[in-house]
Amino acid sequence: SYELTQPPSVSVSPGQTARISCSGDALPKKYAYWYQQKSGQAPVLVIYDDSERPSGIPERFSGSSSGTKATLTISGAQVEDEADYYCYSTDNSGNHRVFGGGTKLTVL
Amino acid sequence: EVQLVESGGDLVQPGRSLRLSCAASGFSFDEYVMHWVRQAPGKGLEWVSGISWNSSTTAYADSVEGRFTISRDNDKNSLYLQMNSLRAEDTAFYYCAKVWDRGGSWDGFDSWGQGTLVTVSP
């Protein structure tokens, strides 16, 4: 089965840049999506189609993808950005949709 | 305002069945692909199933294929998940989610419900 691999945790100080990676064999051909989930809340889409930002998402959130790795970047991370972040994509056939294991971002 | 409200979660015994519902409002429900995503307590997200706007195409995760059936009623603005032969590992919060693009995209869930809890236990 298809897998997306994320680091379990990332830690930065407020104002620093946080980068969360997501690796998958199909990412050269398939879009990556990123979700933010704060404790006790439903997930929120923060990046779609590799690098597009939905309306209402702060500009400090950006996405990129190169080869088999997609990256979520939070420029000038704030305390309120502390959350679990999940990448999502599909395999080359498009039949298997998967989330990465999630990355806990700590900002302190 | 988009609203998705799940219902139907319950405590059920292994092997039994359960039907989840998701009531949608605030958007043209019949123009969007819809999905179910689940999350076991304290664990990560797992995509479960998706359905096209006109029900012509459905897709399932390997873990539920053959046991779960997704459906929708566009007249009632409702999404459903029929879950049969439930197992302990199906215990999770179940979220319904709407895709961001009415143009037929299957991915990118821009609206989520608050989830309904399914517990499978003797």
Side-chain angles (χ1 to χ4, degrees), chain B residues 40-97:
Chain B
K43 303 298 184 181
L45 300 172
E46 180 186 13
W47 175 78
V48 173
S49 181
I51 186 168
S52 61
W53 64 273
N54 62 355
S55 303
S56 64
T57 304
T58 59
Y60 299 92
D62 290 345
S63 58
V64 307
E65 179 87 56
R67 299 188 299 123
F68 290 10
T69 303
I70 191 172
S71 62
R72 65 191 296 164
D73 185 334
N74 287 344
D75 291 333
K76 295 183 178 180
N77 288 343
S78 293
L79 177 72
Y80 306 102
L81 186 68
Q82 177 67 41
M83 304 185 296
N84 298 333
S85 303
L86 282 162
R87 306 167 180 168
E89 54 265 36
D90 296 319
T91 295
F93 288 93
Y94 285 74
Y95 296 97
C96 69

Side-chain angles (χ1 to χ4, degrees), chain A residues 1 33 35 37 40-45 48-49 86 88 90 95-101, chain B residues 35 37 39 43-47 59-60 62 95 100 105-110 112-114:
Chain A
S1 62
Y33 301 78
Y35 297 88
Q37 187 179 33
Q41 299 183 19
V44 173
L45 180 68
Y48 67 94
D49 291 357
Y86 296 90
Y88 164 98
T90 69
N95 293 329
H96 294 90
R97 293 172 162 78
V98 296
F99 287 92
Chain B
H35 292 265
V37 176
Q39 185 171 36
K43 303 298 184 181
L45 300 172
E46 180 186 13
W47 175 78
Y60 299 92
D62 290 345
Y95 296 97
W100 70 275
S105 173
W106 270 67
D107 301 302
F109 314 140
D110 68 341
W112 299 62
Q114 283 305 304

Side-chain angles (χ1 to χ4, degrees), chain A residues 11-65:
Chain A
S11 182
V12 298
S13 299
Q16 288 188 327
T17 295
R19 294 182 179 85
I20 299 173
S21 63
C22 173
S23 297
D25 289 342
L27 289 177
K29 294 186 177 181
K30 296 297 183 181
Y31 285 129
Y33 301 78
W34 291 93
Y35 297 88
Q36 175 195 68
Q37 187 179 33
K38 296 183 178 179
S39 180
Q41 299 183 19
V44 173
L45 180 68
V46 295
I47 294 290
Y48 67 94
D49 291 357
D50 286 346
S51 59
E52 301 296 321
R53 194 173 51 249
S55 61
I57 300 301
E59 291 185 5
R60 63 181 180 273
F61 288 88
S62 64
S64 62
S65 187

